[in-house]
Amino acid sequence: MIPAVRWAELRPDDFRARFDACPIVYLPIGLVEPHGHVAALGLDLIKADHYCDEAARRFGGIVAPSQGYHIHECGFHAPWLSEVVGEENPLLAALPPHVMVSLFLYQLRAFANTGFQAVVAVSGHSGGSQNDLRAAAAAFTAATGLPVVVKTDPEWTAGVHSGDHAGRYEISQLLAIRPELVDLRLLGRRHEAGSGGRLALGDDAAQASAEEGRAINELIVTNIGREVATLRAAAAARPRPPRLLSYDDIERIRATLPPGPAGWHSSVPAPAQAPVPPDSRWHPYARLA
Ligand SMILES: [Zn+2]
């Protein structure tokens, strides 16, 4: 039987036993966004869930309830969406950066108040928004001493596999995790009238394979394990005294970060990006004020 590793699936005694053996919590972060007609919309969340579950099974620790909404559509996302999705309904559930960061800080508070000694946040969505979560994580760690690692899955394959969006890399990942959620027979669906078009499909998606996905996924889990080993050693050497964080504590940390939609990595386009046409549905989000 596969051991339960999810906070939501553990009874209190089982939670405490896992916690005593390894006081590390994993937070899977993803969202729903188009990955072509060939793949399930939740690819980013599904893979983050998989990496966290697999890491907890192999290396210990507990997987927190998944964070299934993420920063998207704003800043550098807007010209990209304009290009790869256009004006079609993107079937996208996104949060603006200042809301996501507030939510994240309160999630970290919950982990700290439960007694966890380190946090590993695994984002299946990459491209830059992780920088905003890292800014929040750094402010939280500076104030509380609780180590928080935030990485996207391709940051755990750096130098071996480059990440992509709905291309060979990502479709391979999902083929290895949930093959029933990929249908490569739909590669040409984008060209059919009324289909929604490309829906952000990557150019090399046809080259995806479950075999390559298994190699990518294995490397990611292995490298998360290295991170966990480092965090556990540090936690054992310097156990944090229990200290309950209040809402005021979190608001003091929040006040060190930009208050509203502006001022985040995800608030503005990248310098090289083409401007979003003024009549585009994405135009209002390209530069947050
Ligand atoms: Zn993705």
Side-chain angles (χ1 to χ4, degrees):
M1 203 178 85
I2 300 171
V5 296
R6 289 254 162 186
W7 196 329
E9 295 181 3
L10 293 164
R11 287 184 289 271
D13 287 341
D14 301 326
F15 185 103
R16 284 188 281 263
R18 284 199 72 81
F19 177 92
D20 290 344
C22 179
I24 285 189
V25 63
Y26 305 87
L27 176 62
I29 306 175
L31 83 169
V32 284
E33 65 164 323
H35 286 78
H37 290 281
V38 300
L41 294 154
L43 198 164
D44 293 7
L45 179 62
I46 291 162
K47 63 179 171 170
D49 279 339
H50 172 77
Y51 301 134
C52 290
D53 287 344
E54 198 57 31
R57 285 183 202 123
R58 294 194 205 178
F59 315 119
I62 291 169
V63 182
S66 303
Q67 165 59 30
Y69 296 75
H70 206 330
I71 303 165
H72 207 320
E73 88 193 335
C74 53
F76 55 86
H77 296 99
W80 181 79
L81 283 163
S82 174
E83 180 193 337
V84 302
V85 177
E87 302 309 307
E88 297 289 341
N89 181 342
L91 313 181
L92 168 71
L95 295 176
H98 59 303
V99 174
M100 179 77 182
V101 158
S102 290
L103 177 60
F104 185 51
L105 287 174
Y106 278 96
Q107 287 169 325
L108 296 178
R109 170 180 174 268
F111 304 154
N113 285 357
T114 303
F116 285 106
Q117 298 285 312
V119 180
V120 180
V122 178
S123 176
H125 179 58
S126 57
S129 55
Q130 67 271 18
N131 292 309
D132 293 329
L133 295 184
R134 282 190 193 127
F140 187 88
T141 300
T144 66
L146 182 69
V148 180
V149 171
V150 179
K151 279 194 185 176
T152 65
D153 62 89
E155 290 173 322
W156 270 300
T157 67
V160 183
H161 302 280
S162 303
D164 66 16
H165 182 85
R168 176 175 173 166
Y169 172 91
E170 272 204 321
I171 301 299
S172 293
Q173 288 177 308
L174 190 58
L175 273 171
I177 297 168
R178 295 282 302 275
E180 77 280 14
L181 300 184
V182 180
D183 188 347
L184 291 175
R185 292 172 303 181
L186 296 173
L187 279 168
R189 172 93 176 110
R190 58 188 288 189
H191 303 299
E192 294 174 21
S195 70
R198 178 179 170 186
L199 290 176
L201 183 72
D203 289 334
D204 57 358
Q207 295 169 42
S209 71
E211 187 184 1
E212 183 161 317
R214 280 190 286 275
I216 294 168
N217 294 339
E218 186 60 29
L219 180 62
I220 291 166
V221 174
T222 299
N223 284 335
I224 292 174
R226 294 209 171 95
E227 197 94 57
V228 168
T230 304
L231 289 166
R232 287 190 70 172
R238 287 185 286 102
R240 288 181 329 107
R243 178 188 155 226
L244 292 179
L245 300 171
S246 67
Y247 291 170
D248 284 346
D249 290 325
I250 298 303
E251 291 304 321
R252 271 192 289 276
I253 298 168
R254 182 68 186 80
T256 67
L257 298 162
W264 302 95
H265 185 84
S266 306
S267 305
V268 290
Q273 286 182 300
V276 180
D279 57 347
S280 168
R281 65 182 290 151
W282 306 112
H283 187 263
Y285 310 106
R287 196 169 290 277
L288 300 179

